Amino acid sequence: MPLRFTVAVPPEHRSTLHSCLGAEIGLALVWKDEGPADVALGAPGPGHLAECAVWPGEAAALALVKAGWERLKDQRDMERLNRVGQALASEQNLDRLLDLILTSARELLSAEAGSIYLVVGEGEGRELLFAHTQNARVDWPSERFRMPLTPKALAGYVAATGELVNVEDVYQLPPDVPYEFNRAFDLQTGYRTQSMLVVPMVDTEGAILGALALINRLEEEEGAVRVVPFLTVHAALAQSLAGQAGVAVKNANLRGEIERLFEGFVNASVTAIEARDPVTSGHSGRVADLTTGLAEAVNRTPNGPYGSLRFTDRQLRELRYASLLHDFGKVGVREQVLVKAKKLEPHQLELILQRLRQRELEEALDLLARAWRQGDPFDPVRWDGLIRDRKDEAERLIHLVRQSNEPTVLAQEVADGLGLLEHLHFTHWTGARQEVVSADDLACLRIRRGSLSEAERLEIESHVTHTFRFLERIPWTKDLSAIPDIAYAHHERLTGRGYPRRLAGPDIPVQSRAMAISDVFDALTAQDRPYKGAVPLERSLAILEEEARDGALDRALLDLFIEARVFERTVRPS
């Protein structure tokens, strides 16, 4: 918006003053008969910047008007700097920040073009990165590149020494300056660089972070725009802005380092989870991919229950981290429970099967000894039949144990048959008679569905609480602070029948609802589980539909999951 400069003076003095004020003031000048005005001289009413109740004479009036004009420009510049400072403080993305710095600097100093150079590297390996550029007249190359940090170049000199450079015409540099102007861009684009102001970007500790270069200050006079030099006042403004920019760039760099640290921590944590539970390797990544994909689908949908909900880039990152870490608490679950594929541990199953074989032999020997004691004649046919009967019974019992040991739904006839194992005994090496199948092992074989006992299931479910207690101890940044709560609720269900807190619909974050859908879908379709086969895609989606109809899963989110085909991020239709 053009600057407006109000002056209240008696009408008879206006023409004389106007002829002496110059074009810059004349373009902004608005005469008034009385105040309030920026300057009030010999007219009623206050003057905000300069005031004299009686006419002070032409010379004094001219001086007061010019002084008021300078104060008005200073106020405008300070207001602009404050607005720029606020904008810089709120921007956290480095690329957008650099663009904002250049845009603000060019507007503030009426520069046609500009560039930002950043110092990268440490010690003798420091270089100058051509990080960002703008030009109102021509398209300049936008790709970043590095160059030696040398005082022989204009930007390099400023970045190396911390001194500003203000040049009226870069093609006519004084012969005694240590730097020179690189004409490559001008030759490449046909642009003509003339006036140039380069100031250092310095942080609060005095370290030089880079250089801000402003090119070709423009000034309009009598309808024509021409390139003019940058003045001392412009250099001061540029230094103030560069100081603010330096702080903002350092903060953005620090934030980037923190984000890389968090990224590394999250990736390391996922590695630890997968090392602890190799059979679910890749699960956390797939759930994160599906959940963020569902959140992006929400962003693209302007109607429906979530039509007004929009996830920002930072909220999407928060959701991705929460999804990647949702199972981290499994590190607190016993390994034999965590990776338990069947109802019995392999060594337990082996022991029972071996005992059944031993019992088979013991019963055969007992029958033989009884026949000898009775004096029965040896009958090979009868003997072979008795041996075969003992072996057939052992085979039936072995099959029953192996069938019961599978984590599938236990059939009723199989459950009934397990009663045959209750009173079977064998001879221990100590000579004592012991049960072939202990009461604890028999209870495991009687698990109706899955491989876990009730105690083991509760132990597995405790991983959610372990996850929350671990995540809440991490000093997350403000925009990542919801990670523990999002992960904590991913096994809750809208019906209140989830775990571990039995939360109901309104208390479950929408991010956790989205993660619940992704978690169930991946558990169904995962092809790397040794204890179950992957459920086909259509059947998996049907199961999710059933869960939504029962009120457990979020109906609106599941509709988006299916309509936007989010599932194709991990499973392709056959």
Side-chain angles (χ1 to χ4, degrees), residues 120-188:
V120 294
E122 299 290 340
E124 296 182 357
R126 292 194 310 162
E127 294 179 300
L128 204 58
L129 173 67
F130 181 76
H132 202 70
T133 186
Q134 292 179 0
N135 192 304
R137 191 188 303 177
V138 300
D139 291 329
W140 277 16
S142 58
E143 64 271 10
R144 294 181 173 184
F145 61 89
R146 297 190 179 197
M147 62 188 77
L149 179 54
T150 169
K152 293 183 179 179
L154 263 170
Y157 176 83
V158 173
T161 65
E163 299 178 10
L164 72 83
V165 170
N166 189 357
V167 180
E168 184 172 340
D169 190 340
V170 293
Y171 283 82
Q172 298 180 20
L173 293 175
D176 57 341
V177 296
Y179 47 79
E180 58 187 25
F181 173 65
N182 185 344
R183 305 186 182 190
F185 285 144
D186 282 9
L187 294 174
Q188 180 181 348

Side-chain angles (χ1 to χ4, degrees), residues 267 445 515 519 558:
N267 290 333
L445 291 174
M515 196 192 305
D519 192 42
L558 179 59

Side-chain angles (χ1 to χ4, degrees), residues 337 340-344 403-411 443-454 456-457 531-532:
V337 175
K340 188 178 181 185
K342 304 289 180 72
K343 297 176 183 179
L344 297 175
Q403 188 178 13
S404 304
N405 192 44
E406 294 300 317
T408 54
V409 177
L410 188 65
C444 287
L445 291 174
R446 283 177 166 151
I447 295 172
R448 303 297 299 187
R449 183 175 183 176
S451 63
L452 300 177
S453 67
E454 181 64 16
E456 290 169 336
R457 183 185 63 79
Y531 48 84
K532 74 171 190 67

Side-chain angles (χ1 to χ4, degrees), residues 122-298:
E122 299 290 340
E124 296 182 357
R126 292 194 310 162
E127 294 179 300
L128 204 58
L129 173 67
F130 181 76
H132 202 70
T133 186
Q134 292 179 0
N135 192 304
R137 191 188 303 177
V138 300
D139 291 329
W140 277 16
S142 58
E143 64 271 10
R144 294 181 173 184
F145 61 89
R146 297 190 179 197
M147 62 188 77
L149 179 54
T150 169
K152 293 183 179 179
L154 263 170
Y157 176 83
V158 173
T161 65
E163 299 178 10
L164 72 83
V165 170
N166 189 357
V167 180
E168 184 172 340
D169 190 340
V170 293
Y171 283 82
Q172 298 180 20
L173 293 175
D176 57 341
V177 296
Y179 47 79
E180 58 187 25
F181 173 65
N182 185 344
R183 305 186 182 190
F185 285 144
D186 282 9
L187 294 174
Q188 180 181 348
T189 62
Y191 186 71
R192 170 61 162 92
T193 302
Q194 188 171 323
S195 61
M196 195 168 183
L197 174 62
V198 189
V199 294
M201 293 170 55
V202 183
D203 66 15
T204 53
E205 298 176 354
I208 301 174
L209 303 179
L212 170 64
L214 296 168
I215 301 167
N216 288 359
R217 176 174 168 257
L218 302 180
E219 185 178 272
E220 184 176 351
E221 185 174 357
E222 297 179 354
V225 178
R226 61 193 182 97
V227 177
V228 295
F230 292 94
L231 305 179
T232 302
V233 65
H234 301 131
L237 281 173
Q239 284 183 302
S240 296
L241 177 60
Q244 291 180 329
V247 173
V249 167
K250 183 174 183 179
N251 289 340
N253 285 333
L254 289 174
R255 187 173 189 86
E257 292 177 6
I258 293 172
E259 290 178 355
R260 287 190 291 274
L261 176 64
F262 276 141
E263 191 75 28
F265 160 75
V266 170
N267 290 333
S269 298
V270 171
T271 301
I273 298 168
E274 295 183 346
R276 191 79 166 80
D277 187 9
V279 299
T280 60
S281 178
H283 170 71
S284 297
R286 293 192 298 270
V287 170
D289 199 14
L290 290 168
T291 307
T292 53
L294 181 50
E296 290 167 357
V298 170

Side-chain angles (χ1 to χ4, degrees), residues 223-478:
V225 178
R226 61 193 182 97
V227 177
V228 295
F230 292 94
L231 305 179
T232 302
V233 65
H234 301 131
L237 281 173
Q239 284 183 302
S240 296
L241 177 60
Q244 291 180 329
V247 173
V249 167
K250 183 174 183 179
N251 289 340
N253 285 333
L254 289 174
R255 187 173 189 86
E257 292 177 6
I258 293 172
E259 290 178 355
R260 287 190 291 274
L261 176 64
F262 276 141
E263 191 75 28
F265 160 75
V266 170
N267 290 333
S269 298
V270 171
T271 301
I273 298 168
E274 295 183 346
R276 191 79 166 80
D277 187 9
V279 299
T280 60
S281 178
H283 170 71
S284 297
R286 293 192 298 270
V287 170
D289 199 14
L290 290 168
T291 307
T292 53
L294 181 50
E296 290 167 357
V298 170
N299 283 354
R300 295 192 301 269
T301 305
N303 46 34
Y306 295 112
S308 61
L309 178 62
R310 292 294 178 272
F311 293 100
T312 66
D313 289 344
R314 296 198 169 276
Q315 286 174 322
L316 288 173
R317 186 168 66 105
E318 179 183 63
L319 181 56
R320 185 172 72 87
Y321 282 175
S323 301
L324 286 170
L325 296 171
H326 75 282
D327 276 345
F328 187 81
K330 287 182 177 179
V331 299
V333 178
R334 288 180 300 147
E335 186 173 4
Q336 61 266 37
V337 175
L338 189 65
V339 299
K340 188 178 181 185
K342 304 289 180 72
K343 297 176 183 179
L344 297 175
E345 296 293 333
H347 72 276
Q348 293 174 297
L349 177 64
E350 180 70 20
L351 195 58
I352 291 173
L353 300 184
Q354 185 62 43
R355 288 173 179 177
L356 287 172
R357 285 298 184 195
Q358 182 174 336
R359 176 180 175 275
E360 170 195 341
L361 295 176
E362 287 179 356
E363 288 198 343
L365 289 173
D366 185 60
L367 290 172
L368 180 60
R370 188 182 308 167
W372 285 346
R373 284 193 299 269
Q374 294 174 356
D376 294 341
F378 177 72
D379 184 349
V381 175
R382 177 172 173 266
W383 177 247
D384 287 343
L386 290 173
I387 294 295
R388 187 167 53 254
D389 289 344
R390 296 301 92 206
K391 184 175 182 180
D392 288 346
E393 182 186 20
E395 290 289 349
R396 286 194 298 273
L397 294 175
I398 287 172
H399 177 72
L400 176 65
V401 171
R402 292 172 65 89
Q403 188 178 13
S404 304
N405 192 44
E406 294 300 317
T408 54
V409 177
L410 188 65
Q412 186 60 48
E413 62 270 18
V414 177
D416 294 340
L418 289 174
L420 298 173
L421 302 172
E422 288 184 349
H423 304 296
L424 301 182
H425 293 80
F426 76 106
T427 304
H428 190 259
W429 65 268
T430 61
R433 296 289 288 172
Q434 293 186 359
E435 294 176 331
V436 172
V437 184
S438 69
D440 289 341
D441 289 347
L442 192 56
C444 287
L445 291 174
R446 283 177 166 151
I447 295 172
R448 303 297 299 187
R449 183 175 183 176
S451 63
L452 300 177
S453 67
E454 181 64 16
E456 290 169 336
R457 183 185 63 79
L458 291 174
E459 185 174 352
I460 287 287
E461 290 182 0
S462 73
H463 82 275
V464 182
T465 302
H466 289 312
T467 294
F468 175 73
R469 289 175 178 170
F470 167 73
L471 294 178
E472 70 172 345
R473 298 178 66 87
I474 298 172
W476 300 102
T477 54
K478 184 177 180 181

